[in-house]
Amino acid sequence: MTDLKTLLDSVQQIAIDAGEKIMEVYERDGSIDVQSKGDDSPLTEADTKANALITKQLRSLTPDIPIMSEEEAITPYETRRQWQEYWLVDPLDGTKEFINRNGEFTVNIALIRAGQPVLGVVFAPVLQLSWLGVAGEGAWKQEGAASRQAIGVAKMGADKIRVVASRRHGGEALEEMLLRLKDLFKEVELVNMGSSLKICILAEGKADLYPRLAPTSEWDTAAAQAVLAAAGGEVTRTNLEALRYNTKESVLNPFFLALGDTAYDWRNALGELPE
C-alpha cells in the first residue's frame, strides 16, 4: 500500500484544483443553475466539474485504488465489499451553502482502509483553508500558501461546552440533548455552520461536540473524520461505537457524534440517543 504521508501533498493539491473549478461557477454573475438528483438533492455545474477533475487526478495518482464519489454511480456492494482500500469523495459538500453563496462549503477527499478513514483532506475554496489528517501522523490546518499548523482537539472543562449544529438539520432530539446539557453545564454555546466544516472546527479545538441526529451519507463525513481522528478526537455512532465505512449496501450513515475530548464521559453527559 502507498505510504500515506507521500499521498497527502498530492491529494491536497487535487482538492485545491477542484476548488478552483468550483469558484469559477461561484463567482459568476447571476443565480446558480440547479438540477435535482434522484434523491431530490441539488446538483450544480460546480459539483460536476469538481468531480471530473478529482476522479481523473486520483486515477492518475493511484490507478489501482477504486473511487466512490457522490457524483458517480455507486459500485454494487457485492463488488465494493471486497475493497480493502478506496477513495471516498464529496466534490462539493454543502451544495445548498454554495447555492446561497455563504462560503460554507468544502471539497472532501478521504482514503478508507478496512472501514476507517486514514487520510483526509477538507478544503474550503472561499476561505482558502485546508484541514488535513493522516492516521498516526497528526492533523494540520493551512491557509493559502502559508505553512501548515498542527492542530488538536480541546480538553473539556467543567463549566462550558461548545456544541456545533447544522444550519439546516436540527429537530426534537437535538433540542432534548441541548436541554440535558444545559442542566450539566453553566454555559452551552451553540455554533451553527454548514458542511464538513462542523467537524473540522472540533479538530482545531474550537468546539467540543457535534451531534448529527439527521441523515448524512458516508462521503459527507469521511474526510473530516480522518482529520478529527488524527487531531485526537473521534466520530462515533450515538451508542459511542466507531463510525465505520463500506459495511453495508446503503451508503447512508447512522446518526453520529463528533467528539473532541475522547477521555470525557460522554455517555453520562448525553444519555440515551436515537440511532
Side-chain angles (χ1 to χ4, degrees):
M1 291 183 176
T2 308
D3 178 70
L4 295 177
K5 286 194 75 175
T6 65
L7 285 174
L8 187 62
D9 289 349
S10 297
V11 176
Q12 182 185 11
Q13 189 58 55
I14 291 171
I16 291 170
D17 291 345
E20 291 179 358
K21 293 292 184 185
I22 291 169
M23 292 304 293
E24 289 174 3
V25 180
Y26 187 80
E27 292 176 340
R28 286 179 191 163
D29 292 337
S31 60
I32 296 170
D33 291 335
V34 183
Q35 303 175 36
S36 290
K37 295 189 288 190
D39 60 358
D40 291 330
S41 61
L43 176 69
T44 71
E45 179 186 356
D47 295 83
T48 303
K49 285 188 171 182
N51 180 71
L53 183 147
I54 292 168
T55 54
K56 179 181 179 180
Q57 292 194 17
L58 286 179
R59 289 186 176 110
S60 177
L61 178 67
T62 55
D64 296 330
I65 300 179
I67 301 169
M68 184 158 69
S69 170
E70 180 180 12
E71 305 309 340
E72 297 196 342
I74 297 173
T75 301
Y77 186 58
E78 284 303 309
T79 298
R80 58 184 166 85
R81 70 188 301 181
Q82 309 299 324
W83 295 351
Q84 289 302 301
E85 181 178 51
Y86 70 101
W87 294 107
L88 184 53
V89 176
D90 190 342
L92 176 48
D93 181 36
T95 300
K96 291 179 181 178
E97 316 302 336
F98 171 81
I99 293 166
N100 289 329
R101 289 191 168 102
N102 72 4
E104 294 178 1
F105 54 88
T106 58
V107 178
N108 298 349
I109 305 175
L111 183 66
I112 311 296
R113 285 182 178 169
Q116 286 293 308
V118 294
L119 179 151
V121 173
V122 176
F123 177 63
V126 171
L127 304 174
Q128 287 295 293
L129 288 174
S130 299
W131 291 266
L132 316 153
V134 175
E137 299 289 345
W140 305 269
K141 182 179 179 180
Q142 184 173 9
E143 182 174 3
S147 299
R148 290 177 185 165
Q149 302 296 315
I151 57 175
V153 299
K155 293 296 183 183
M156 284 292 296
D159 295 332
K160 180 178 178 179
I161 185 170
R162 299 163 298 172
V163 182
V164 189
S166 170
R167 286 199 184 281
R168 303 176 186 281
H169 302 281
E172 185 177 340
L174 176 60
E175 292 301 321
E176 290 177 358
M177 176 190 291
L178 292 174
L179 288 173
R180 180 183 177 92
L181 292 174
K182 287 176 182 177
D183 288 336
L184 295 174
F185 294 91
K186 291 181 180 178
E187 183 179 355
V188 177
E189 179 183 336
L190 190 62
V191 181
N192 294 109
M193 190 168 290
S195 75
S196 57
L197 294 172
K198 294 184 288 294
I199 298 176
C200 291
I201 67 169
L202 267 78
E204 58 180 292
K206 293 182 178 178
D208 305 301
L209 167 68
Y210 166 38
R212 178 67 180 212
L213 308 178
T216 57
S217 295
E218 294 183 359
W219 44 67
D220 294 319
T221 54
Q225 180 173 344
V227 174
L228 180 57
E234 62 183 344
V235 180
T236 73
R237 302 169 63 111
T238 54
N239 61 8
L240 299 182
E241 294 178 0
L243 182 66
R244 297 183 62 81
Y245 292 79
N246 199 32
T247 63
K248 59 189 187 309
E249 182 71 41
S250 171
V251 296
L252 290 177
N253 285 322
F255 294 169
F256 68 82
L257 304 168
L259 309 171
D261 185 356
T262 59
Y264 184 71
D265 186 2
W266 291 107
R267 190 177 300 279
N268 178 63
L270 301 177
E272 292 293 323
L273 295 171
E275 297 186 34

